[in-house]
Amino acid sequence: VISKFAQDEFALGSMERGRTVFEGLLDSYPKRVDLWNVYIDKESKAGEFDSARALFSRLVTLKLSSKAIKGVFKKWLAFESVNGDAETTQQVKEKAKAYVQRLLETQ
């Protein structure tokens, strides 16, 4: 319900209020990847690509399941292929490699 309110705020009201509601949700439920995805989608649809990139960067720092993080990196790569350039796409690939490398080092 609150997520829907945040989405409506983004679309019909103030983007800043929508962000505030989403940030509150993410503070309460940081591992809810579905909330992150909706927030990122709203930012990118509004043309706020740098904000969407910042959200992706924050999201990949969380401890998530391998399945969830794989989906995040796939979504980020798809985002960059549409909204970015070769350099930003390469940066995402490097972050994914670094993430996998950190996982391998801790095992």
Side-chain angles (χ1 to χ4, degrees):
V1 174
I2 296 174
S3 173
K4 183 64 176 158
F5 174 73
Q7 292 175 52
D8 289 343
E9 265 310 316
F10 242 93
L12 307 171
S14 164
M15 280 182 55
E16 213 40 58
R17 282 194 307 250
R19 285 185 180 118
T20 302
V21 175
F22 270 117
E23 289 296 335
L25 285 169
L26 294 178
D27 284 344
S28 298
Y29 308 102
K31 293 188 177 191
R32 290 275 312 267
V33 177
D34 60 322
L35 292 175
W36 285 93
N37 285 335
V38 171
Y39 190 11
I40 290 166
D41 289 344
K42 290 295 176 183
E43 290 285 4
S44 64
K45 285 179 185 171
E48 299 290 333
F49 302 129
D50 289 336
S51 295
R53 287 183 183 101
L55 290 170
F56 275 119
S57 292
R58 284 174 50 199
L59 179 54
V60 298
T61 63
L62 300 176
K63 281 192 169 188
L64 301 172
S65 70
S66 57
K67 181 180 176 183
I69 201 70
K70 181 180 177 183
V72 170
F73 276 115
K74 285 177 83 170
K75 183 176 176 79
W76 195 359
L77 271 173
F79 169 84
E80 291 298 348
S81 69
V82 173
N83 302 305
D85 54 22
E87 182 181 337
T88 57
T89 302
Q90 187 60 34
Q91 288 172 353
V92 174
K93 289 178 182 178
E94 289 170 8
K95 287 184 184 214
K97 287 178 188 175
Y99 185 90
V100 170
Q101 193 64 33
R102 278 195 310 274
L103 280 180
L104 293 175
E105 289 172 359
T106 59
Q107 290 179 354

